[in-house]
Structure formats: structure tokens, C-alpha cells
Amino acid sequence: MERTEGLIQRRKQPKPENEPDLRNEENEEEEDRDSKDTRLTLMEEVLLLGLKDKEGYTSFWNDCISSGLRGCILIELALRGRIELERAGMRRKGLLMRKVLIKNSDPCGDVLLDESLKHIKETNQPETVQTWIEYLSGETWNPLKLRYQLKNVRERLAKNLVEKGVLTTEKQNFLLFDMTTHPVTDSLQKTRLVKKVQESVLSKWVNDPHRMDKRMLSLIYLAHSSDVLENAFGPLSDDDYDVAMKRVRDLLDLDIEAESCKQGTNELMWAVFAAFIK
């Protein structure tokens, strides 16, 4: 009896054409996030949208981005499973009336996030989302709460982006003072971010916030609240710009309380949205 040489190749069953390749989708999601070095936090993305590419600083007239970045920090902590809202209870307290609670106190590995998490953990009485945005921004009349202020947030985020190879550091001389600036050095990363924002309200618009990626939804809300969303839409044609802004307005006009009650939502994320569009 002759013996067949070599290995016998296993025959693969053909996969139906209409069956989604979940493994490929997962791989694409991982690839889309790139490596750890180029993965940006929500705060870094908002700051990057706000920075002037060549000058390396945000508009002097923008007084919204400071509180917007604090909102980004709270959402980032919520999406990482570190904080959550207290339960609404039988009387269904509104989002802005509910307190922020610690869900997991493990460090995130990001200095700003860990500093904020430490502040939230150390408070004797839990506070609301709105109050924490004010505390972290230093916008409080209570001198005992000023210790919760996060200082030099924009500069620290810019240094993170320098370490990730997205920005560089320069000194610019103005008439009365010298200022450290951070021009964009990786224009591809900035272009990719702008394109991602544009596509979310144009070619990839799903007309349902709960089918949108939570990070992208948060980026649109917080970029708008930080007055930097216009920078992403500036290069669009007039027609695309009108469509994009109409869809952003549709998101801003949603009933936030009703949306937060739907299945699978992150209530703290919606509470931050409510704090900025109230």
C-alpha cells in the first residue's frame, strides 16, 4: 500500500458572502487606533484641533477650551471605566443633579487623568459633573476647593503630543514676552483627525448617536463646546459645510435626558454634554 507523501491540506469551508468578518472588523478597529505612541486621548484631539498648525498655539480669543478640556477629562475617565454617575433612583434625578462616583480607582497611566481621578476620590462628599468641571478649571469661589484645579493643562497636553511626535517645541518672540509654542510636525496625524471628524457627519453619518462611536460623538460635542470644531469644517466646500453644521446642530438639539436613558449608554458622558449645552 503506497503512502501519500507530504502534508494533507485541510479543506476550508467557504464562508457565505453576506456573513460579516468580525475578526477583520476587530483588526481594523485595532489598526485604526494605531500604536500606543500615536493613540490620542480625547483631550489631545480637542487641543490638536484648536492649535494653529504653523504658529503652534490656540486662538487668544478662545476662552472656551479650558473648561472643554476638563469635560474631556471626565469623559475619558468614564470611557475607561474609572468614574460613573450615581443611580437616578425612583424619583429620576436629572443628569446634572447626580453625583460623580468612583468606579475603579486604578491609575490610567496618564498624569492628567490620574491627577483628576485622585481629586475625585479624595472628596468627602461626591460632587456633580458641572461642579467638577468648575473645580478642575479653578472656577470656584470656595478657596478650599482651589486645590482641585488642574494647572497648565494645555501645556501638559502639548508636551504629550510632542512626546508622541505630533508636535514640536519652539520659542517665539512677541513684543513684550517670549512664548513657548508647539507647531504641528506630523501633519498626517492632524489631517487624519480632521478627516475623521468630517466623515463622521458626512460620508459616515448614521443619524443615530447611539450607533456612533462614543469617542467620536464626544469629540464632536466637546470640540463644539471648546469652540474648535469650526477648524475641522473650514476646508469643506460650502455645501458640505452646511450639511455638516446641520447635523452637528441636530446632535446639539437632542433631548439629552431622554438619550441618556437608552440602553447601552454612558450616562456620565451624556451628563458632560448636558453641562455644556444647558
Side-chain angles (χ1 to χ4, degrees):
M1 182 175 179
E2 292 185 359
R3 184 176 179 183
T4 304
E5 293 184 356
L7 298 174
I8 299 175
Q9 185 175 5
R10 179 181 294 177
R11 296 180 61 187
K12 295 183 178 179
Q13 292 292 331
K15 186 164 60 174
E17 293 183 0
N18 59 352
E19 183 179 329
D21 192 342
L22 298 179
R23 186 170 53 190
N24 284 345
E25 290 180 2
E26 292 173 357
N27 290 339
E28 288 174 4
E29 289 178 3
E30 288 298 319
E31 290 172 5
D32 188 51
R33 286 178 174 262
D34 292 327
S35 65
K36 185 177 180 181
D37 290 338
T38 56
R39 190 183 306 161
L40 305 184
T41 64
L42 194 56
M43 306 88 72
E44 291 165 351
E45 288 182 327
V46 168
L47 180 65
L48 187 56
L49 286 176
L51 281 175
K52 299 179 179 181
D53 291 8
K54 294 181 180 179
E55 293 86 347
Y57 51 82
T58 56
S59 170
F60 291 124
W61 311 111
N62 188 339
D63 58 355
C64 304
I65 194 169
S66 177
S67 58
L69 290 173
R70 273 66 174 187
C72 289
I73 288 173
L74 294 179
I75 290 181
E76 189 76 42
L77 286 171
L79 294 179
R80 296 189 185 205
R82 297 305 196 275
I83 58 176
E84 62 184 352
L85 281 188
E86 66 176 342
R87 294 190 178 184
M90 295 294 291
R91 301 172 71 175
R92 292 300 305 175
K93 285 197 292 186
L95 290 170
L96 296 180
M97 300 296 294
R98 294 159 65 183
K99 309 294 186 181
V100 177
L101 304 177
I102 293 289
K103 185 177 181 181
N104 180 354
S105 60
D106 291 346
C108 300
D110 179 283
V111 177
L112 278 172
L113 294 178
D114 290 340
E115 185 178 339
S116 304
L117 187 64
K118 181 172 178 286
H119 289 328
I120 296 172
K121 183 180 177 182
E122 286 178 347
T123 51
N124 294 326
Q125 296 292 331
E127 301 286 359
T128 64
V129 162
Q130 181 70 61
T131 301
W132 271 117
I133 291 173
E134 293 170 357
Y135 284 176
L136 297 176
S137 302
E139 298 173 357
T140 173
W141 292 101
N142 187 341
L144 298 177
K145 303 298 183 181
L146 287 174
R147 63 192 179 96
Y148 296 135
Q149 180 183 5
L150 299 177
K151 298 181 180 178
N152 304 318
V153 169
R154 268 180 270 192
E155 182 64 24
R156 292 159 75 181
L157 289 172
K159 287 182 178 178
N160 288 349
L161 290 169
V162 170
E163 292 176 0
K164 294 179 180 182
V166 181
L167 305 179
T168 187
T169 302
E170 294 180 358
K171 287 279 187 181
Q172 284 201 25
N173 178 261
F174 292 84
L175 289 176
L176 300 175
F177 58 93
D178 291 336
M179 187 173 80
T180 302
T181 61
H182 299 283
V184 175
T185 184
D186 185 353
S187 57
L188 181 62
Q189 185 80 21
K190 177 73 175 277
T191 302
R192 189 182 300 136
L193 174 62
V194 169
K195 183 181 178 183
K196 183 172 69 170
V197 174
Q198 292 173 351
E199 288 179 342
S200 69
V201 291
L202 291 172
S203 60
K204 296 184 179 179
W205 175 248
V206 293
N207 200 29
D208 180 359
H210 301 283
R211 290 172 56 201
M212 292 180 70
D213 175 72
K214 287 185 175 66
R215 285 186 174 275
M216 177 49 62
L217 182 64
S218 299
L219 180 57
I220 291 173
Y221 270 98
L222 272 299
H224 177 270
S225 301
S226 302
D227 199 18
V228 300
L229 188 60
E230 180 77 20
N231 297 350
F233 294 160
L236 294 173
S237 67
D238 289 346
D239 289 343
D240 283 345
Y241 178 86
D242 290 342
V243 172
M245 290 306 296
K246 180 185 180 301
R247 288 171 175 171
V248 169
R249 176 50 57 189
D250 288 343
L251 290 174
L252 297 174
D253 289 341
L254 289 171
D255 184 337
I256 300 295
E257 292 285 350
E259 298 297 332
S260 70
C261 295
K262 295 182 179 179
Q263 188 174 5
T265 60
N266 187 306
E267 291 182 312
L268 195 140
M269 178 187 77
W270 286 97
V272 173
F273 299 167
F276 282 104
I277 64 176
K278 65 181 187 301

